[in-house]
Amino acid sequence: MKKKQLKVDPIKTGTVIDHITAGKALQVAEILNISNSESEIMVGINLYSKKMGKKDIIKIEDRELSEEEAGSIALISPTATLIIIENYKVVRKFFIDVPEKIKHHIICPNPNCITNIESVPTLFFLAGKNPVEVRCSYCEKKYFIDDVKFSF
Amino acid sequence: MKNLISMRDISKEDILKLIDSANKIETGKVKVDMSGKLAALLFFEPSTRTHFSFETAVKKLGGNTFSMSGTSSTSVKKGETLADTLMTISMYVDIIIIRHIIEGAARFASETVNIPVINAGDGTNQHPTQAMLDLYSIQKTQGSLNNLTVGMVGDLRLGRTVHSLAQALSDFNPTFYFASPRHLQMPAYIKDDLKAKNIKFTELEDIKDVMHTLDIMYVTRIQKERFAVLEDYEKVKDSYIITKKLLEGVKKNFKVLHPLPRVNEITKDVDDTEYAYYFQQARNGVFMRQAIITELLNLEKH
């Protein structure tokens, strides 16, 4: 029998973000601000996936994600799933919903938008799901999620 | 309603309520008293027409105004933030009416100050009082907003009045004809919204063939400067000029609307026909703005 080989080591307790759209792991890592984190973190990019062909994966030891963090991940990669691990066992596994409202994190691409002129946090509303589209609550322009930049 | 920032925030019920209120003000059924109240007309981007219309509305209600036009003589030039300018002015007045070249400025204003704010145009985004006065004009001439056939002609890509109007009418089961040069067509996001609401619309390059089906024709100006190549402008400019001859055989209730200023897109001979309605439309704007101010300030009606 062929032994199942994990390319990324299992974690004892923490969170696995699986099925991240291939190539998006570093962006997800940025949201989670993991460069300033003390936790053990593993990032896999372009791993083989039966479901997706290629996928990225991030495993974080000893950390639970906030709802806001999870929502932001869904924006970048709507296919992502969250897996909560305790004592090497999966205790919960779920898809993340794209949030209806996104505060702060999206930079409005419209240079003539007030959010790029006065100091005011941005607010975007979900305007389409497949692909994800968001609308600026200030200038009301609509953008594909791939066309916006984030700040975390 | 606390502010009027965007047609997106306004329900069908709000629209009908404001139309009813504008009608009561126009016909003298209600008298509103704004005396002792002050409106700031902050036109960071100058606009004579809208400015005068608001000023007339406030004064006819018995209120007072103070005005700013352009940014050259203001604190803006000294480097004060918009937030500080607005906050300070809000200490003096009861309502702020703001026009700004920056998109989202009016919403930002409404979140900054504690008094009502009316958006009198924010960049290419919204101009909700124009949309409301257009709806009032349509209601007055057609007796209803429901099930109308509306042609929109001219620059449909950048004309924010046609965007707001198309969206606002979409709650009333319209049939739309959009006639424009190819590169000045209605933007995809407006068409997406209409499709999502199952609104029937057809895009044409010439309005001529559907004239006899229209209840309303909304005309906007095609600006020469929108064309990269002047030759292209010369080619299309005459297809979008409304003449008296074009109006032969239209329906009896048919009316031509235009947000003004017009340049040459409606010929002078149309003015004398029973179909011209653009100057009355401007007049309706005063009543509608009176109704909006009355609603936001919760003014006493007699």
Side-chain angles (χ1 to χ4, degrees), chain B residues 57-75:
Chain B
V58 172
K59 289 185 171 158
K60 283 180 93 172
L61 290 172
N64 248 312
T65 61
F66 78 75
S67 293
M68 193 196 80
S69 190
T71 51
S72 56
S73 63
T74 64
S75 49

Side-chain angles (χ1 to χ4, degrees), chain B residues 258-277:
Chain B
H258 190 299
L260 305 178
R262 112 181 111 162
V263 179
N264 64 344
E265 59 276 19
I266 302 172
T267 56
K268 197 98 185 56
D269 58 3
V270 175
D271 295 4
D272 305 326
T273 70
E274 60 193 292
Y275 309 117
Y277 196 72

Side-chain angles (χ1 to χ4, degrees), chain A residues 33-112:
Chain A
N33 196 17
I34 64 177
S35 56
N36 292 322
S37 164
E38 303 265 305
S39 314
E40 267 182 39
I41 295 159
M42 283 162 277
V43 180
I45 295 177
N46 290 335
L47 305 184
Y48 170 75
S49 157
K50 219 197 275 181
K51 213 162 73 180
M52 304 169 65
K54 274 181 177 182
K55 68 170 182 184
D56 290 1
I57 191 167
I58 297 178
K59 297 186 176 190
I60 311 172
E61 194 83 54
D62 290 328
R63 176 157 167 196
E64 270 190 53
L65 302 185
S66 69
E67 209 170 295
E68 197 194 326
E69 285 172 323
S72 306
I73 293 170
L75 276 179
I76 291 168
S77 170
T79 54
T81 48
L82 279 191
I83 303 163
I84 311 296
I85 310 277
E86 275 170 28
N87 230 342
Y88 297 109
K89 283 203 178 111
V90 173
V91 293
R92 221 144 55 92
K93 194 170 182 175
F94 51 97
F95 286 104
I96 330 169
D97 273 332
V98 182
E100 291 293 325
K101 246 183 181 184
I102 308 109
K103 265 191 199 164
H104 302 290
H105 298 313
I106 299 177
I107 299 168
C108 186
N110 173 10
N112 205 37

Side-chain angles (χ1 to χ4, degrees), chain B residues 70-301:
Chain B
T71 51
S72 56
S73 63
T74 64
S75 49
V76 179
K77 214 182 169 188
K78 297 178 191 158
E80 189 183 42
T81 62
L82 180 62
D84 280 7
T85 306
L86 292 167
M87 199 60 197
T88 310
I89 290 168
S90 78
M91 297 291 133
Y92 311 147
V93 300
D94 301 282
I95 186 166
I96 285 177
I97 294 155
I98 180 173
R99 186 188 188 98
H100 208 296
I101 189 112
I102 301 297
E103 286 128 25
R107 189 170 304 279
F108 173 72
S110 72
E111 291 169 355
T112 304
V113 301
N114 291 314
I115 56 171
V117 173
I118 298 177
N119 184 5
D122 61 328
T124 62
N125 186 29
Q126 287 273 336
H127 190 3
T129 61
Q130 177 74 45
M132 284 307 308
L133 79 88
D134 292 340
L135 290 171
Y136 182 42
S137 299
I138 294 172
Q139 165 77 37
K140 268 177 76 178
T141 57
Q142 308 297 321
S144 161
L145 295 176
N146 293 312
N147 310 317
L148 297 173
T149 301
V150 178
M152 297 189 177
V153 182
D155 180 353
L156 305 183
R157 185 164 78 94
L158 297 154
R160 75 185 157 194
T161 55
V162 286
H163 302 165
S164 301
L165 185 59
Q167 284 174 322
L169 275 175
S170 63
D171 283 334
F172 299 91
N173 190 39
T175 301
F176 286 125
Y177 289 101
F178 299 140
S180 68
R182 205 159 284 212
H183 77 288
L184 295 177
Q185 280 177 352
M186 204 52 113
Y189 72 92
I190 301 283
K191 290 188 278 189
D192 288 347
D193 286 355
L194 296 178
K195 276 181 210 154
K197 287 186 172 178
N198 285 321
I199 303 297
K200 301 172 283 295
F201 68 88
T202 310
E203 296 186 279
L204 328 150
E205 284 192 54
D206 198 336
I207 195 79
K208 206 163 56 204
D209 299 336
V210 297
M211 283 302 291
H212 63 284
T213 69
L214 301 181
D215 300 303
I216 290 286
M217 177 161 64
Y218 199 98
V219 185
T220 61
R221 184 155 61 100
I222 294 184
Q223 287 161 291
K224 218 192 237 178
E225 53 272 28
R226 303 274 191 237
F227 287 77
V229 184
L230 213 53
E231 236 183 355
D232 293 342
Y233 171 73
E234 294 298 326
K235 256 186 253 164
V236 301
K237 68 171 193 197
D238 292 338
S239 334
Y240 301 94
I241 291 180
I242 311 306
T243 59
K244 191 173 175 182
K245 189 161 183 299
L246 182 74
L247 305 186
E248 283 169 12
V250 293
K251 284 162 85 168
K252 253 200 122 33
N253 58 314
F254 172 81
K255 291 285 182 262
V256 181
L257 269 58
H258 190 299
L260 305 178
R262 112 181 111 162
V263 179
N264 64 344
E265 59 276 19
I266 302 172
T267 56
K268 197 98 185 56
D269 58 3
V270 175
D271 295 4
D272 305 326
T273 70
E274 60 193 292
Y275 309 117
Y277 196 72
Y278 21 95
F279 292 113
Q280 289 98 314
Q281 186 186 352
R283 185 166 181 270
N284 291 336
V286 174
F287 302 122
M288 178 46 82
R289 289 181 172 117
Q290 283 179 279
I292 291 164
I293 293 165
T294 301
E295 170 72 21
L296 297 185
L297 282 177
N298 215 353
L299 295 175
E300 223 164 282
K301 298 172 204 159

